[in-house]
């Protein structure tokens, strides 16, 4: 099925990701990650944004933030932020996100993962862009916090792993906020924008 | 002069920008803006990143942050962050940034401004990308904090104003962190990355 506009969801994983010592951990949620990714998701027409954390306290923190912007004073102060957070959800695991997407679309999403590391068989942006235009999805594009997604996760879970965004002089240390912005623009910006 | 890699500097302006009530103000510096833009500048091969604020207290705050990462414990903890901040400077006005670029390159930079608003005569990304490859620069690409750069500034100062990044459904509220990531990628990513 040809789709001009693929059905895409975002997920920001706080587990299983590496810390600086390359131990697999659950990271704390960063407030501005949520703001930036929620706004990016709406800008690029994504159907939803999942904040994925197994930590109960972090879940409650995210729920308070979402309440503030969706039903509380935040939304009165800044309606565009309210709009951004309307499609944001917090879930405990990526399976929960997959189940939610499946419930909304009648089929499970194809999972795309991003990494700053070189992975065998990784697809280029152009390849995935093309694929997203020719295959109906839904697609669930996954970003890791901390020092990036666990290698075991990358090997087992995603159907597609995207190539890293290489720096010009071997510098390869973007924030997840920057990486998400660049990846969504490369995959989803209208063709007229890319000329 | 044909240059494969244009000479580009970034500037993040905290004045003159709008607040939510469309008053022209000097905004406070946001810590993560500096981290994200410094990392983006190095990733995309920019020669320098200027944090522009007229406020003395904010200047001291930025200097403390830079010291922490460049010569203090931050750089030991995270050498890649130290590297990112090595090319970051804080200055009081855009003229100071222009003077610094002129000092390093023997000529004043051509100023490019970004805005989320529609401005007559704005250039597309492809046009500026082409221009940057055919004209030697140096270029100074300016981003505004708050609710964006003052209209008077946009009319008078930059030689080039870039088209906004339009959302898919009229949503046009990206963070300056996201906008900078997308603009640098569109202007400076190697052609092989864009295929």
């Amino acid at each position: 099925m040809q789709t001009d506009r693929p059905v895409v969801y975002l997920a920001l994983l706080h587990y299983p990701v590496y810390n600086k010592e390359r131990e697999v951990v659950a990271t704390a949620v960063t407030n501005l990650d949520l703001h930036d990714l929620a706004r990016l998701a709406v800008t690029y027409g994504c159907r939803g944004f999942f904040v994925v954390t197994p930590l109960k306290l972090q879940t409650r923190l995210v729920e308070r933030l979402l309440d503030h912007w969706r039903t509380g004073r935040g939304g009165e102060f800044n309606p565009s932020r309210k709009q951004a957070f309307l499609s944001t959800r917090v879930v405990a695991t990526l399976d929960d996100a997959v189940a939610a997407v499946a419930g909304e679309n009648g089929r499970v999403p194809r999972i795309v993962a991003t990494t700053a590391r070189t992975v065998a068989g990784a697809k280029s942006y152009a390849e995935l862009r093309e694929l997203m235009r020719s295959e109906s999805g839904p697609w669930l594009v996954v970003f890791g916090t901390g020092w990036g997604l666990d290698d075991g996760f990358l090997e087992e879970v995603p159907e597609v792993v995207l190539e890293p965004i290489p720096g010009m002089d071997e510098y390869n240390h973007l924030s997840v906020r920057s990486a998400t912005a660049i990846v969504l623009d490369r995959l989803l910006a209208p063709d007229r924008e890319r000329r």
Side-chain angles (χ1 to χ4, degrees), chain A:
Chain A
M1 182 172 103
Q2 176 71 35
T3 52
D4 281 316
R5 194 154 150 178
V7 175
V8 177
Y9 293 76
L10 285 195
L12 182 66
L13 258 64
H14 295 81
Y15 175 87
V17 296
Y18 292 113
N19 68 7
K20 194 165 150 287
E21 277 71 40
R22 214 172 152 78
E23 298 155 337
V24 176
V25 296
T27 56
V29 170
T30 298
N31 182 39
L32 281 187
D33 288 358
L34 272 45
H35 283 262
D36 284 8
L37 270 65
R39 294 159 81 180
L40 282 163
V42 176
T43 300
Y44 285 94
C46 299
R47 302 292 177 92
F49 165 39
F50 295 94
V51 180
V52 185
T53 172
L55 304 178
K56 289 272 192 302
L57 269 171
Q58 294 284 309
T59 301
R60 286 209 285 278
L61 192 73
V62 175
E63 281 168 349
R64 270 181 56 197
L65 175 105
L66 295 178
D67 282 347
H68 172 74
W69 291 102
R70 292 200 291 218
T71 62
R73 289 175 55 197
E76 292 164 35
F77 173 75
N78 187 341
S80 74
R81 204 61 55 88
K82 175 179 180 170
Q83 186 188 348
F85 280 125
L86 284 176
S87 61
T88 306
R89 282 166 272 188
V90 56
V91 293
T93 68
L94 189 63
D95 284 346
D96 294 336
V98 167
V101 174
E104 288 173 21
N105 294 274
R107 77 175 99 174
V108 296
R110 305 178 69 177
I111 297 173
V112 176
T114 57
T115 173
R117 293 190 294 282
T118 304
V119 171
K123 280 209 190 309
S124 74
Y125 293 85
E127 286 173 311
L128 182 57
R129 189 178 166 87
E130 197 54 42
L131 206 56
M132 282 182 160
R133 269 150 194 72
S134 62
E135 303 192 22
S136 50
W139 300 88
L140 178 59
V141 186
V142 179
F143 295 85
T145 55
W147 268 253
L149 292 166
D150 169 54
D151 283 340
F153 174 91
L154 282 176
E155 277 171 32
E156 289 163 29
V157 177
E159 183 176 333
V160 174
V161 176
L162 268 172
E163 286 175 356
I165 301 162
M168 296 218 179
D169 299 295
E170 316 288 317
Y171 187 87
N172 188 13
H173 305 280
L174 291 175
S175 73
V176 72
R177 295 172 295 284
S178 299
T180 305
I182 294 162
V183 168
L184 290 188
D185 193 61
R186 289 185 178 186
L187 295 178
L188 300 174
D191 287 333
R192 68 175 183 281
E193 289 287 307
R194 296 169 48 81
R195 279 198 292 266

